[in-house]
């Protein structure tokens, strides 16, 4: 099974991806986490991409496609969850081609949807643990102890790109570059829109229902 999760910044994509991967034993490929890790290691890729992330711009496709192709090869026999990839049509076409070479395709492409004022509110209140990458929201999902991660006690941080100015830019980039994926995945008959309102469990239940229906349909068709 290969699932794509996409949606505007702040929609709760990362949180849902973590929960979904655990629930269905999927390998979660978060390109954002991967890039942030490269930056924190100050690796050659990290140094190349740092400015793009800081400004809220997309990293150039050639860098992203190389990263993804390597991951696809490493995880050829695993069920995958793409969190944050593809981000534009070129990346989507390329993913399709790479999967086709392995006689695979996309099972479901989820687009998470939420109104813009709610997105901005969520982003301004987002904090994350730089060690385990767990995501918190100061209003809807705060840590038990102020400012530190429940799991490892590490001090929570604000992402550098969660500032009002960069958030605005990222939302615009989403509209211009990523939103066209909706029609693309509709044409491939794998598109599902998810209402991202409500708490984490409510949203996860909506996604889970669709994944279970997909798995059942696979069982009956085999
Ligand atoms: P995310 O954690 O998914 O919000 O991603 C954070 C940032 O990483 C984005 O604003 C981009 O700068 C970069 N990024 C993540 N995934 C991609 C991708 N598939 N293509 C280009 N840039 C990406």
């Amino acid at each position: 099974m290969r699932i794509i999760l996409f949606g505007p910044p702040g929609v709760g994509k990362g949180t849902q991806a973590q929960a979904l991967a655990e629930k269905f034993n999927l390998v979660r490929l978060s390109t954002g986490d991967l890039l942030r890790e490269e930056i924190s290691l100050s690796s050659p890729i990290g140094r190349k991409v740092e400015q793009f992330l800081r400004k809220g711009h997309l990293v150039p496709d050639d860098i992203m496609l190389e990263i993804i192709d390597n991951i696809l090869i490493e995880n050829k026999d695993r069920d995958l969850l793409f969190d944050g990839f593809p981000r534009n049509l070129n990346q989507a076409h390329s993913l399709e081609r790479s999967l086709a070479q392995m006689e695979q395709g996309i099972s479901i492409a989820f687009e998470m949807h939420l109104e813009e004022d709610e997105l901005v509110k969520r982003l301004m209140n987002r904090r994350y643990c730089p060690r385990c990458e767990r995501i918190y929201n100061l209003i809807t999902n705060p840590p038990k102890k102020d400012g530190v991660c429940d799991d490892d006690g590490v001090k929570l941080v604000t992402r550098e790109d969660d500032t009002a100015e960069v958030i605005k830019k990222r939302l615009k980039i989403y509209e211009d570059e990523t939103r066209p994926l909706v029609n693309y995945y509709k044409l491939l008959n794998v598109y599902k829109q998810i209402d991202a309102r409500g708490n984490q469990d409510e949203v996860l239940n909506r996604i889970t229902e669709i994944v279970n229906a997909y798995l059942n349909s696979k069982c009956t068709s085999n």
Side-chain angles (χ1 to χ4, degrees):
M1 180 162 62
R2 279 146 310 274
I3 294 180
I4 289 174
L5 200 56
F6 71 101
V11 77
K13 186 168 54 70
T15 309
Q16 291 301 326
Q18 284 172 358
L20 199 64
E22 201 169 308
K23 194 159 194 166
F24 290 97
N25 194 23
L26 309 167
V27 176
R28 181 175 72 101
L29 306 174
S30 160
T31 42
D33 283 354
L34 254 157
L35 295 168
R36 280 186 289 277
E37 203 175 307
E38 296 287 342
I39 292 171
S40 73
L41 294 172
S42 207
S43 70
I45 288 190
R47 287 197 296 274
K48 260 196 229 167
V49 302
E50 192 169 4
Q51 288 305 320
F52 294 101
L53 271 84
R54 182 169 296 149
K55 292 183 185 151
H57 293 165
L58 292 186
V59 169
D61 285 350
D62 55 337
I63 301 179
M64 294 313 302
L65 296 177
E66 196 181 328
I67 293 177
I68 284 292
D69 273 344
N70 288 334
I71 292 176
L72 286 179
I73 293 165
E74 281 164 24
N75 292 285
K76 200 163 117 292
D77 301 317
R78 295 289 312 268
D79 288 331
L80 302 179
L81 174 61
F82 296 93
D83 164 9
F85 185 92
R87 283 285 232 275
N88 60 29
L89 282 174
N90 186 36
Q91 292 183 6
H93 290 143
S94 168
L95 176 62
E96 205 60 26
R97 275 196 302 272
S98 301
L99 289 175
Q101 278 171 9
M102 300 190 276
E103 295 180 1
Q104 296 176 348
I106 297 299
S107 315
I108 314 168
F110 288 109
E111 182 214 14
M112 294 177 63
H113 178 77
L114 200 63
E115 294 304 322
E116 185 167 322
D117 49 352
E118 186 59 29
L119 291 172
V120 174
K121 206 158 79 191
R122 285 193 186 182
L123 286 167
M124 299 300 281
N125 286 292
R126 173 159 73 178
R127 300 291 181 275
Y128 87 104
C129 171
R131 183 182 294 165
C132 72
E133 283 156 3
R134 182 164 167 184
I135 303 159
Y136 295 87
N137 183 288
L138 297 185
I139 299 169
T140 55
N141 177 31
K144 292 194 183 92
K145 195 173 152 215
D146 242 14
V148 295
C149 179
D150 294 350
D151 293 339
D152 48 30
V154 169
K155 191 168 176 287
L156 299 179
V157 294
T158 306
R159 272 174 47 169
E160 242 187 290
D161 53 355
D162 281 347
T163 60
E165 191 194 338
V166 180
I167 286 170
K168 224 171 110 193
K169 206 181 303 166
R170 285 162 60 212
L171 287 169
K172 165 112 178 64
I173 290 175
Y174 180 79
E175 284 306 316
D176 295 348
E177 306 230 8
T178 312
R179 178 87 73 192
L181 296 182
V182 169
N183 277 336
Y184 179 72
Y185 287 119
K186 273 185 184 167
L187 285 172
L188 291 183
N189 256 328
V190 292
Y191 172 77
K192 297 281 176 193
Q193 190 183 65
I194 294 291
D195 178 358
R197 285 175 300 179
N199 68 34
Q200 212 171 302
D201 287 341
E202 287 168 329
V203 181
L204 183 62
N205 284 341
R206 289 175 200 137
I207 300 176
T208 300
E209 240 175 64
I210 295 172
V211 176
N212 280 334
Y214 169 82
L215 291 173
N216 285 337
S217 74
K218 283 275 137 195
C219 276
T220 48
S221 66
N222 283 335

